[in-house]
Amino acid sequence: MGKKRTHAETKDGPARPPPDKSRLSAKHDGNGKDARKNSSGQPKTRPNLLFTPQPEWHAVVLPALSIVEHPTVPARHVLEALHQYADELLLADGDEYAASHLSKDSSHKFMSTVMTSGTMEDKVSALTLLVQESPLHTTKAFEQLLGLSRKKSRNAAMMALAALKDLMGQGVVLPPNRKLKAFARQPGLISALQGKAATWKYGDRLPGAVQKMHLVAWAYEDWLKKQYFEMLKVIEGWSNDEVEFSRNRAVTMVWELLKEKPEQEENLLRLLINKLGDKEKKVASRASYLLLQLQITHPAMKSVIISSIESDLLFRPNQSGTAKYYGVITMNQTVLSGREQDVANKLLEIYFSLFVGLLKQQKEHDRKGDAVEKLKVNKHGLVQGGGGKPGKAALKKQEKAATQAFKVDDENREKLISAILTGVNRAFPFAKTDDEKFGEQIDTIFQITHSANFNTSIQAMSLIQQISSTKHFSTDRFYRTLYESLLDPRLIETSKHIMYLNLLYRALKSDTSIKRVQAFVKRLLQIIHLHEPPFICGVLYLINELIIQFPSIKTMVTAPEDNADDSGDEHYDDVPEEGETAAPKKQSETQRPHYDARKRDPSHADADLSCLWELLPLQAHYHPSVHVLATKLVNQDQIKEKPDPTIYTLMNFLDKFSFKNAKAKASATHGTSIMQPMAGTAKAADYLIATRDGDKTHGALNSEQFWRKKVDDVREDEVFFHTYFEKAGKAKQATKKDKKKRKKDDEESDDSGEDEIWKALVNSRPEVEGPQDDDEGFSDIDMEDMMSDDDEEGGIGMDEGVELNLGSDDDEDDGPAAGADESDDGMDGFDLDDEEAFVDSDDDIPVNLDMDDETDVDETSAKSTKDTEKDKKKAKKRKLKHLPTFASADDYAKLIAGDDSE
C-alpha cells in the first residue's frame, strides 16, 4: 500500500500482486485469515479517483456533451442542488487522493512534517510543491497558502503571495488561452438541463450525458475562480499599503498576472491603472512603465488600455492632477503604426477633450480667485473675521499661501498641457480625421500658444504647423503667431532652442511665400544680437539652409537698397513755429514702399526691399565661430560646419579643459527616444538639428592627434587650443630628444672620455706628442698605481717632478708656446720653470711642471672656493693623469746633455 500507483492502476483499478511461493495459498495467510479482508472482516476497497491527478487539470479530455444553441435557463434551485452535489464529489475525490497518495509516500510524509513544524519559507515551499502535483485534489493546500498571504507580517504575506503568483501566472493552474467559467454558466450543464431534466432533484440520476467527472471539473473551476478573486483582493490590499516597497511588489505582481493569463484581466488592469495616481512618484512611474511593457507584450490590448485609462482615470471625478499627468504620458508614449488608425483617432479625441476641460478649469479658477479675493477667506475656506479686514500678518500669510498654491497649480497645468501636446504631435500622423473636427479644435490650440510657459507655446506651434502643413488650416494665422514669437522675451531664457529652430526650419522650408521667408530672416538677424553664441550659430545655420532652398535671399546681401528719391544732396526743412502746421509731404514720399519691422503680418513687412545689414556687426563678434559664419554668409561661401549649437555652449567650452576622452556612444537607429524619427528617413530630413552629440565624438584637445592637424582642419573656436598644444607638444618632443642625446653622450663619455682629453692635450701641445698619434696601450694606465710602485721601489716619485726642457720647440711658429712667447713683449725667452707661462700656454689643461711640495697648486676649477689639502691632492692627480707618459726625443737629449755637463 505504500507504493505509489501508476496511471494504469488509477484508471483500470489496482493491479493484482504477484504470487508468493513461500505461502501456502494466495487467499490465506499463515493464520488462516483472508488477506483481502480487513480486521472487521469486510473486503478492502481500492482507491478509485473520479479525476486523473495531474498538474494540467484543464488539459484532461472530458466526455463530449451536446450543446444546444439557444437553451432555456434552468431554475436557480436546480443549479444550486447540482452545484452542492458537485462540491461533495470534489471534496470526496480530494480526501481519497490525500489518503492514497499523501499519507503513504515517504516524501509526502516529510512534506507534511515540514508544513506543521517548519519555518515559514519551508511551509510555503512545501505547499507550493503539493499544489503543483495535482491542483484539483489539493484545494486545502491552496487555501492554506491564501491564508498565509493574509498575515500581518509583510515578509510572510509577500512570500505567500509570490508563491501564489507563480502558481497562477507562470504555472499551469490556470488555463493559458481562456477564462475560468462559473458552475452555472457551463454550456454543457445548461444544455443537459433541458426538458424533463430541468426539474432535477438531489438523489436523481444525472441529467443527460453528464457524468461525475464533469461535475468534479466544473466544481473545481468555479472554486478556483472564486479563490483567484480572493487572491486579487489580497493583492489590492497590499497595493495600498503605507510602505512603498509593498506597493511596488504588489504592482509588479498585478502586471505579471495580467501579462501571463487572461483571467480577471479587467480587474487587474483597473488595479494597475489605479496606481498611476499613487502618492509616490516612483510607484506611479513604475505603473506607467509596466503598462507600456504590457502594450509591447500584447499589442492588441492598446485600445483596451487606452479606454480603461480614459474611463477609470482621466475623466473620473475628483481625480488628482498627478494621476492625469501620468495617464497622459502613458498614452503619449504608446507606439503607433499605420494600421492602428482607430487607436490614433481615439487618442486625439481624448487629448482634445482634455484641452477643453483644462481651459474651462482655468476660467473657473480665475473667476473663483477673484471671488476669494473679494471675500478674504482664510486657509480653511472660511470668511476671514466674518467679512472684516484681516491683519497685516494674516494678510501676508494669506497672500503667500495663495501665491504658492497658484504656482503649483500653474506648473501642474503647464506640465499636463505639454504632455497632451506631445501626444497630439505623435498621434496626428497616424490618425485619419475629418476637417470639421480639426476646424473646431484649432482655436483651442491657438489659445495655448499664448500660455505662460514658452516651452508649451513651442509645442503648440509645432502641432499647428503639423496640422496646417497637412490639412492647410489657418496657415496665415500660424505664420503671424510664429513671427510674433520671435520678439517674445521668453525666447532668450527658454531651454527649447533646438526645438524652436527645428520648428522654424520646417515652417519656413515648406512656405510658398518668399517675401514671408525674407521677413523671417530679417527679424531673426535683428534679435540674435540679444542671444548667446549657441543660438546665434544655430540661426546662422538656419539662414544658410534657407538660402540654399530660396536662392533669391542672396539679393538681400548682394543687391543694394532702392533709394531712388535719395539724390545725395542734403535737404533741410524748417521746424514749424507755434501756431503753424507742418507742410504735408509729397504723395511719393509717403507711399514709397519700404521695410516696416512693426507689421504683424510678415508678408506685408516688405523685407525684400532691405538688405541684411545686421550681418555686419556679427563679423566683429567676440566668438570666433559667430565671426566666421557671418563672414561666410556675407561672402557667400559654403558652410561645411556641423549644425549643432550645443558645441558652442559654455559648458562644452569648459569641458575642453578637462582633457578627457568622451565615452563611446553606441550607434542607434532612433534618437534619444523611441518616438523620434529614425535616422535616414524622410521625416528626419525635416529637422535642422537631428543629432545633439556635442563634442562626444571629439578627442582630447591635448592629444597628439589633435595638435598635429592642419590649422585649416581645426574649428575656429579651437584654434587657440591647437596653437597652444602644438607649441607645447613640439617643445616636449624637443626636450625628449635632448634628454636622449644627452644620455647617449654621457654613456659614450664614460668610455671615451680619457681619449677625448688626450686628443685635446695633443691638439693644444703638438710639440709634446710629435706627429705620432698612435698611443694605444698607454691611455688606460692607472697613474695612481704607477705612483705607488715608484714610491715603493725608491725611485723618483711623481711629486718630485720631472724637469722637461721644451725649449727646442720654441722655433716652431705653429705651437701655442711660441705664440705665447711672441705675445709676451716683456719676456726674452720661454722659461720652463715659470709656472705662469706654462699655464698661460695651455689654458685648457693647466700643468705644474715643478710639482714641489712647497709650491701651491694652481686653481684647477673656477667653481672651487676652498683651498684644502683634499682639493690639492685631487688637482695633482688630475694633472698627472693627463701628462704624457714619456717625454719627446729632444727633451731626453737635453736631459742627457745636462747630465754630461755636470
Side-chain angles (χ1 to χ4, degrees):
M1 295 298 292
K3 183 179 179 182
K4 184 181 291 186
R5 294 182 302 164
T6 62
H7 178 69
E9 292 175 341
T10 306
K11 183 177 180 181
D12 302 329
R16 182 173 298 177
D20 191 357
K21 296 182 180 180
S22 62
R23 296 185 179 182
L24 297 176
S25 174
K27 296 182 180 181
H28 298 82
D29 56 3
N31 298 327
K33 295 182 179 180
D34 192 349
R36 292 174 293 179
K37 295 182 180 180
N38 54 17
S39 58
S40 61
Q42 299 294 331
K44 290 185 178 181
T45 58
R46 296 292 182 182
N48 188 12
L49 297 176
L50 298 174
F51 204 89
T52 305
Q54 64 177 26
E56 298 180 357
W57 63 270
H58 45 79
V60 176
V61 179
L62 301 176
L65 297 174
S66 59
I67 305 298
V68 180
E69 294 184 0
H70 302 287
T72 303
V73 179
R76 184 175 180 181
H77 67 276
V78 175
L79 292 175
E80 290 179 352
L82 269 174
H83 194 184
Q84 181 181 359
Y85 180 64
D87 288 340
E88 292 177 358
L89 292 177
L90 177 63
L91 183 60
D93 212 42
D95 294 339
E96 185 67 25
Y97 176 80
S100 60
H101 289 72
L102 304 183
S103 61
K104 304 299 181 183
D105 191 71
S106 59
S107 60
H108 289 93
K109 289 181 179 180
F110 175 73
M111 285 172 38
S112 300
T113 305
V114 169
M115 285 186 288
T116 54
S117 61
T119 61
M120 176 59 66
E121 187 174 358
D122 295 337
K123 289 180 181 179
V124 172
S125 301
L127 290 172
T128 304
L129 291 175
L130 194 60
V131 173
Q132 284 179 346
E133 289 184 0
S134 180
L136 187 141
H137 297 97
T138 54
T139 56
K140 294 182 180 180
F142 190 92
E143 290 176 351
Q144 290 182 11
L145 269 178
L146 192 60
L148 291 176
S149 65
R150 294 190 179 97
K151 282 183 169 290
K152 293 184 179 180
S153 174
R154 289 187 178 88
N155 293 333
M158 286 299 166
M159 194 182 302
L161 273 180
L164 289 173
K165 182 262 301 179
D166 292 337
L167 287 172
M168 296 296 189
Q170 293 86 354
V172 295
V173 177
L174 292 177
N177 52 1
R178 68 178 181 88
K179 296 182 180 180
L180 297 175
K181 296 178 181 179
F183 184 85
R185 295 191 177 184
Q186 292 290 343
L189 178 63
I190 296 175
S191 299
L193 293 173
Q194 301 297 320
K196 295 181 180 180
T199 59
W200 186 88
K201 296 180 181 180
Y202 187 84
D204 296 345
R205 184 178 178 273
L206 293 178
V210 177
Q211 300 179 11
K212 293 182 179 180
M213 186 177 184
H214 292 97
L215 295 179
V216 171
W218 294 340
Y220 177 74
E221 189 170 348
D222 182 84
W223 176 87
L224 185 61
K225 188 178 183 67
K226 294 178 180 178
Q227 295 299 317
Y228 187 68
F229 185 75
E230 293 294 328
M231 187 185 77
L232 293 189
K233 291 198 294 185
V234 175
I235 294 178
E236 182 182 8
W238 286 112
S239 66
N240 297 323
D241 191 56
E242 62 271 11
V243 179
E244 179 184 343
F245 174 76
S246 302
R247 298 202 301 272
N248 264 325
R249 288 286 304 275
V251 169
T252 305
M253 290 178 186
V254 170
W255 170 72
E256 291 181 357
L257 292 172
L258 185 58
K259 179 185 67 172
E260 296 295 337
K261 301 298 170 59
E263 179 63 26
Q264 296 289 338
E265 61 181 3
E266 296 87 357
N267 292 326
L268 289 170
L269 185 59
R270 189 178 297 109
L271 282 176
L272 192 56
I273 291 175
N274 187 42
K275 297 314 295 179
L276 291 172
D278 195 272
K279 57 184 178 180
E280 291 290 338
K281 293 183 178 180
K282 291 183 179 180
V283 180
S285 178
R286 176 73 176 170
S288 176
Y289 170 76
L290 293 177
L291 283 172
L292 294 175
Q293 294 299 313
L294 182 63
Q295 293 179 4
I296 297 174
T297 308
H298 301 286
M301 291 187 65
K302 289 181 182 178
S303 59
V304 177
I305 294 173
I306 291 171
S307 299
S308 183
I309 292 176
E310 177 189 9
S311 59
D312 297 337
L313 188 72
L314 295 179
F315 297 103
R316 189 176 180 179
N318 301 324
Q319 193 63 265
S320 64
T322 305
K324 291 183 178 180
Y325 174 72
Y326 279 102
V328 171
I329 65 173
T330 303
M331 291 192 301
N332 68 20
Q333 294 183 57
T334 300
V335 181
L336 301 174
S337 63
R339 295 174 295 179
E340 296 173 335
Q341 293 182 354
D342 296 337
V343 178
N345 292 337
K346 182 66 175 178
L347 287 173
L348 288 179
E349 182 182 352
I350 295 173
Y351 292 147
F352 286 121
S353 299
L354 289 172
F355 271 136
V356 175
L358 287 173
L359 293 178
K360 289 182 179 179
Q361 289 179 3
Q362 181 65 23
K363 293 179 181 178
E364 293 177 359
H365 177 72
D366 296 340
R367 188 164 54 249
K368 183 183 289 186
D370 296 338
V372 170
E373 185 70 21
K374 294 177 182 179
L375 293 177
K376 304 293 183 181
V377 298
N378 56 18
K379 63 180 180 179
H380 301 292
L382 303 176
V383 178
Q384 178 72 26
K389 294 183 178 180
K392 293 183 179 180
L395 182 61
K396 186 176 181 181
K397 186 177 181 181
Q398 178 183 350
E399 292 178 353
K400 183 178 180 181
T403 304
Q404 187 69 22
F406 179 79
K407 287 183 179 180
V408 173
D409 293 342
D410 187 62
E411 289 178 0
N412 294 334
R413 178 176 173 274
E414 294 296 336
K415 285 172 61 178
L416 185 57
I417 292 176
S418 178
I420 294 173
L421 288 172
T422 303
V424 175
N425 279 316
R426 291 174 176 176
F428 180 76
F430 305 99
K432 185 179 181 181
T433 58
D434 54 345
D435 297 343
E436 296 179 359
K437 183 177 296 186
F438 277 96
E440 296 173 358
Q441 302 296 340
I442 198 72
D443 293 334
T444 303
I445 303 177
F446 270 110
Q447 293 180 18
I448 300 173
T449 59
H450 302 284
S451 174
N453 191 344
F454 191 74
N455 295 345
T456 306
S457 302
I458 295 174
Q459 288 183 318
M461 287 187 289
S462 299
L463 175 59
I464 296 173
Q465 186 273 330
Q466 195 173 9
I467 295 174
S468 63
S469 62
T470 56
K471 302 293 182 180
H472 304 288
F473 279 133
S474 305
T475 304
D476 296 336
R477 184 180 179 185
F478 163 69
Y479 281 105
R480 286 197 304 269
T481 305
L482 185 61
Y483 189 68
E484 181 183 357
S485 67
L486 291 173
L487 298 178
D488 198 322
R490 297 174 298 176
L491 178 61
I492 301 176
E493 301 176 355
T494 184
S495 60
K496 302 292 184 181
H497 281 152
I498 293 179
M499 182 186 294
Y500 190 72
L501 289 174
N502 286 330
L503 171 63
L504 287 171
Y505 179 69
R506 291 195 305 270
L508 299 179
K509 186 180 179 182
S510 59
D511 193 6
T512 57
S513 176
I514 183 61
K515 295 181 65 176
R516 189 156 51 196
V517 176
Q518 289 174 336
F520 271 94
V521 171
K522 183 74 173 178
R523 178 163 286 189
L524 279 170
L525 290 176
Q526 290 172 351
I527 66 167
I528 60 176
H529 297 276
L530 303 174
H531 290 263
E532 296 296 327
F535 186 73
I536 298 176
C537 294
V539 171
L540 295 179
Y541 285 132
L542 173 62
I543 295 174
N544 179 68
E545 294 295 326
L546 293 176
I547 291 175
I548 297 174
Q549 185 76 14
F550 305 99
S552 58
I553 301 178
K554 293 181 181 179
T555 58
M556 302 178 70
V557 180
T558 57
E561 295 182 358
D562 186 11
N563 296 321
D565 296 336
D566 191 1
S567 60
D569 299 333
E570 295 183 1
H571 178 71
Y572 299 97
D573 293 330
D574 295 335
V575 178
E577 298 180 359
E578 296 182 0
E580 296 182 359
T581 59
K585 294 183 179 180
K586 297 180 180 179
Q587 186 177 4
S588 60
E589 295 179 2
T590 57
Q591 294 182 356
R592 184 177 62 85
H594 63 282
Y595 171 68
D596 188 359
R598 294 172 293 181
K599 292 288 185 180
R600 291 185 60 192
D601 194 341
S603 300
H604 301 154
D606 294 326
D608 56 322
L609 302 178
S610 64
C611 294
L612 299 180
W613 303 107
E614 294 81 6
L615 282 173
L616 298 180
L618 295 177
Q619 290 183 289
H621 199 273
Y622 69 91
H623 199 281
S625 297
V626 176
H627 160 73
V628 171
L629 292 176
T631 305
K632 287 184 178 181
L633 285 178
V634 172
N635 299 333
Q636 300 182 13
D637 296 335
Q638 185 179 4
I639 297 178
K640 300 180 181 180
E641 283 80 1
K642 180 182 178 182
D644 186 4
T646 57
I647 63 179
Y648 305 114
T649 58
L650 178 61
M651 183 59 65
N652 184 71
F653 175 75
L654 296 176
D655 286 341
K656 293 177 182 178
F657 290 93
S658 62
F659 306 135
K660 292 182 179 180
N661 294 327
K663 294 182 179 180
K665 184 179 181 181
S667 59
T669 55
H670 292 278
T672 56
S673 173
I674 195 174
M675 304 303 294
Q676 292 185 0
M678 296 181 66
T681 58
K683 189 175 180 181
D686 295 336
Y687 289 83
L688 175 67
I689 305 168
T691 58
R692 285 172 278 181
D693 295 335
D695 277 355
K696 292 182 180 179
T697 58
H698 197 292
L701 296 180
N702 60 344
S703 62
E704 185 176 356
Q705 182 182 3
F706 172 74
W707 61 261
R708 284 194 178 277
K709 290 182 180 180
K710 297 180 180 179
V711 182
D712 299 336
D713 299 336
V714 179
R715 216 165 54 218
E716 287 75 16
D717 57 332
E718 295 177 351
V719 173
F720 166 75
F721 295 96
H722 181 270
T723 305
Y724 174 80
F725 287 113
E726 184 181 15
K727 292 182 180 180
K730 290 182 178 180
K732 189 175 182 180
Q733 286 189 349
T735 305
K736 289 181 178 179
K737 289 181 180 180
D738 294 341
K739 287 182 179 179
K740 290 181 180 179
K741 186 177 180 181
R742 193 180 302 112
K743 185 177 180 180
K744 186 177 180 181
D745 294 341
D746 293 341
E747 292 177 355
E748 292 179 355
S749 63
D750 293 341
D751 298 334
S752 59
E754 296 180 357
D755 295 338
E756 292 179 358
I757 296 174
W758 175 253
K759 290 179 181 179
L761 178 61
V762 171
N763 293 333
S764 62
R765 297 293 300 274
E767 70 276 6
V768 178
E769 174 62 19
Q772 297 181 359
D773 294 334
D774 188 10
D775 57 348
E776 293 186 9
F778 299 97
S779 60
D780 296 332
I781 297 177
D782 191 352
M783 299 302 296
E784 293 183 2
D785 293 340
M786 295 174 62
M787 292 167 57
S788 61
D789 293 339
D790 290 340
D791 293 337
E792 291 176 359
E793 294 177 1
I796 300 174
M798 297 300 294
D799 292 338
E800 294 180 8
V802 178
E803 190 174 340
L804 300 177
N805 184 10
L806 302 179
S808 59
D809 297 332
D810 293 343
D811 297 335
E812 298 179 9
D813 296 335
D814 55 351
D821 189 24
E822 291 176 0
S823 64
D824 191 1
D825 297 335
M827 295 178 63
D828 295 333
F830 183 76
D831 188 6
L832 292 176
D833 295 334
D834 189 1
E835 275 185 30
E836 299 294 333
F838 191 83
V839 171
D840 291 338
S841 64
D842 194 359
D843 295 335
D844 295 333
I845 303 175
V847 181
N848 184 10
L849 295 178
D850 286 344
M851 299 181 186
D852 294 331
D853 295 337
E854 298 176 359
T855 62
D856 296 332
V857 180
D858 190 22
E859 295 182 359
T860 60
S861 176
K863 297 180 181 180
S864 61
T865 57
K866 295 181 180 180
D867 190 12
T868 58
E869 293 296 332
K870 187 175 182 179
D871 294 337
K872 290 180 181 180
K873 289 183 179 181
K874 288 184 179 180
K876 288 181 180 179
K877 289 181 180 180
R878 188 159 50 251
K879 292 175 185 177
L880 294 175
K881 185 177 181 180
H882 297 298
L883 282 176
T885 307
F886 300 100
S888 63
D890 295 335
D891 294 334
Y892 280 115
K894 287 185 178 182
L895 289 174
I896 295 173
D899 294 338
D900 293 340
S901 62
E902 292 178 359

